[in-house]
Amino acid sequence: MSKPFVLTVIGTRPEAIKMLPVVRALRAAGVPLRLVATGQHRELLGQAFAAFDEQPDRDLGLMTEGQTPTDVATRAMPAIAGLIEAERPALMLVHGDTTTAMAAALAAFHAGVLIGHVEAGLRSHDLARPFPEEFNRVAIDTVASLLLAPTAGAAANLRRESPRDRTIVVTGNTGIDALLHVAGRLDGGELARAGLAPDPAKRLILVTGHRRESFGPGFERICAALARLAARGDVEILYPVHLNPNVREPVAARLGGHPNIRLVPPVGYVEMVALMQAAAVVLTDSGGVQEEAPAIGKPVLVMREVTERPEAVALGAARLVGTDPDVIVREVAALLDDAAEYAARSKPVFPYGDGRAAPRIAAAVVEFLAGRGDTPVDFWQIGAGGRSQ
Ligand code: UDP
C-alpha cells in the first residue's frame, strides 16, 4: 500500500484557478498529493493551468461534445471510483460546485474515503439558480467531513444546516490568492501582446456570461442589453465568449459584427485579470468574477436574480441586475454617467479573502489528517500558519 495522500479532482476552469494555489500550498507543506483532471472543460482547463505553469498528474479526458451534467457525472464517477480503488487516498479534496466535484465526492463517499470541500457553504437557497451548481454544493457539503468555508457567512450556512460532527474552518477564498498572485506579476503589456488592447478613447465594459439557467431566453435578453449599451458611442464591450454552443451560437448570431462589441474566445487567466483591471464596469453571471472584480476595485453587475455570494452586494461593490435589458442598461448608465456613484462603488474591497486562503487550507488539511490517528504524524509536519477559525 502506498503512503497516504490527498487526491484532488478538478474538471473546469474555475476549479483549476482556485485549486492550483491550494495544490502549491499542500506541496509546500509536504503533503503528498495527486492532481487529476477530468477534462469537463478541456480547453478552458488548459488555459487555467498555463497561467500557473502547472499540469495535472493525470487527465481522464472525459469531455464530450454537447455534454449534459448527467453525461459528466456518469462518465466521471466510474473513472474516479477506479482511481480511488487503485490508490486509496487518505482524503479526497474537491472544490466548489461543479458536476465533476460532486461526482468525485460521491465516488469517495461510496468508497468510504474522507472528503474535504474547498469553498464549502455557499448557498443561493434556490436549487434552480445556479443550476445545477446549488445542488452540487449542497450534495458535497452533505458528505464532506472537512469543510473549508471561504467566509464567516458560508460557515454559518453550514452550521445552520447540520449539527453533525465535522470540521468547519473559515479560510478565505483561494480565488483571491490566485488573483493577487497573477496581478502582482503583470507587466502592463499583456493585453497588447494578446491582441486585446482596449480602445483608450472609450470605457471598457467587460462581459462574461455562461450560466445554464440563462440558456435560451436569458441569453436573448443579455444580448439585447449589450446591443443597446453598444449604441452608446463612449463604450467598448469586450466579451470572451464561453465555448459551450448554447452560449456561443446565440451570442455570435445576435452580436457578431456589431460595432463597439468585440466577441473573443475565452481568454487566459492572466489576460482576464488584465482585462478586469482595464475595465470600467464588469457585467457577469460568473461566480468567480463576482469575487475578483471587487478586489480589483471594479463595480460588478451580476446578471442573476440570486447569488450565493452576498458579501460584495452588501458592501455595494456588486449589484444583482438579472437579465432584463432595461435594468442592465439603466444600471450600467448609473455607474458610467455619475462620477460620484462610480467612485463610491469602485473602491477595492476584500470580503472574500486576503490572499492567504491556500496556506490556511493546507494547515487545516494537515491538522485534520493528523487528527485521524491512522496517519503517521511526522509525515504531516509543516511550518506554515495555524488553524484559522
Ligand atoms: N476567466 C478566465 N477567462 C475568461 C473568463 C473567465 O480566465 O475568458 C476566469 C475568471 O476570471 C474566474 C474564472 O475564470 O477566475 C471564472 O470561471 P467561470 O466564470 O467559468 O465559472 P464560475 O466562477 O461561474 O464557476
Side-chain angles (χ1 to χ4, degrees):
M1 180 124 119
S2 56
K3 260 176 160 182
F5 69 98
V6 174
L7 178 61
T8 297
V9 178
I10 62 176
T12 66
R13 169 174 66 194
E15 287 165 276
I17 291 168
K18 292 175 162 184
M19 276 304 263
L20 289 175
V22 177
V23 164
R24 291 187 161 183
L26 286 169
R27 285 207 197 108
V31 178
L33 175 111
R34 204 140 314 154
L35 175 60
V36 175
T38 61
Q40 180 180 334
H41 287 169
R42 192 185 306 122
E43 298 89 343
L44 302 188
L45 201 55
Q47 279 185 332
F49 272 102
F52 294 87
D53 240 349
E54 290 275 350
Q55 283 298 321
D57 298 313
R58 189 155 165 196
D59 188 343
L60 300 175
L62 298 180
M63 182 171 166
T64 53
E65 199 57 38
Q67 65 197 358
T68 63
T70 299
D71 296 329
V72 173
T74 53
R75 288 166 64 83
M77 274 195 70
I80 296 167
L83 273 177
I84 292 172
E85 180 64 28
E87 309 203 30
R88 296 305 303 176
L91 182 74
M92 168 70 82
L93 194 64
V94 298
H95 180 279
D97 54 20
T98 65
T99 300
T100 287
M102 188 276 294
L106 196 49
F109 175 64
H110 289 160
V113 169
L114 292 168
I115 299 151
H117 187 199
V118 178
E119 204 181 76
L122 271 59
R123 295 289 182 269
S124 69
H125 305 287
D126 180 347
L127 283 174
R129 294 176 293 190
F131 176 87
E133 289 86 358
E134 179 74 0
F135 166 77
N136 289 340
R137 51 171 88 106
V138 171
I140 297 166
D141 286 334
T142 305
V143 294
S145 304
L146 175 61
L147 295 149
L148 301 153
T151 64
N157 288 338
L158 294 167
R159 292 195 188 97
R160 244 192 323 272
E161 277 173 14
S162 173
R164 198 159 59 81
D165 178 28
R166 50 204 190 150
T167 303
I168 300 173
V169 185
V170 178
T171 63
N173 197 304
T174 60
I176 305 301
D177 297 32
L179 176 72
L180 298 182
H181 172 82
V182 167
R185 283 162 182 73
L186 296 179
D187 63 19
E190 288 77 14
L191 296 181
R193 287 197 293 277
L196 295 167
D199 180 345
K202 294 185 173 170
R203 298 176 81 184
L204 178 66
I205 302 176
L206 176 64
V207 180
T208 81
H210 68 280
R211 292 252 85 81
R212 191 166 281 273
E213 63 271 22
S214 293
F215 289 177
F219 271 98
E220 296 291 322
R221 290 194 294 272
I222 289 170
C223 289
L226 296 180
R228 279 170 56 186
L229 285 170
R232 289 175 62 117
D234 61 342
V235 300
E236 176 183 23
I237 296 175
L238 193 139
Y239 184 173
V241 186
H242 201 277
L243 297 175
N244 189 316
N246 291 299
V247 181
R248 206 175 48 200
E249 286 163 15
V251 170
R254 288 298 210 105
L255 302 176
H258 201 292
N260 286 350
I261 301 182
R262 283 176 77 186
L263 303 178
V264 297
V267 299
Y269 184 58
V270 172
E271 288 73 27
M272 183 66 188
V273 174
L275 281 172
M276 286 190 281
Q277 287 189 336
V281 174
V282 179
L283 201 49
T284 191
D285 65 11
S286 157
V289 176
Q290 282 179 69
E291 295 158 349
E292 293 162 341
I296 296 186
K298 299 301 167 149
V300 56
L301 300 175
V302 182
M303 297 185 290
R304 301 193 195 181
E305 312 296 335
V306 291
T307 183
E308 63 288 329
R309 292 165 166 91
E311 291 86 353
V313 177
L315 290 172
R319 191 170 280 186
L320 291 176
V321 298
T323 57
D324 179 338
D326 289 340
V327 178
I328 294 173
V329 170
R330 189 181 68 224
E331 289 289 339
V332 171
L335 283 163
L336 292 184
D337 299 340
D338 183 338
E341 177 78 7
Y342 188 85
R345 288 163 59 189
S346 58
K347 297 186 176 61
V349 287
F350 294 86
Y352 299 108
D354 60 0
R356 301 278 304 154
R360 289 190 193 103
I361 288 169
V365 166
V366 168
E367 189 177 323
F368 179 77
L369 288 175
R372 303 302 303 178
D374 51 1
T375 317
V377 174
D378 59 351
F379 192 70
W380 301 106
Q381 274 179 357
I382 57 151
R387 188 185 173 110
S388 158
Q389 192 70 59

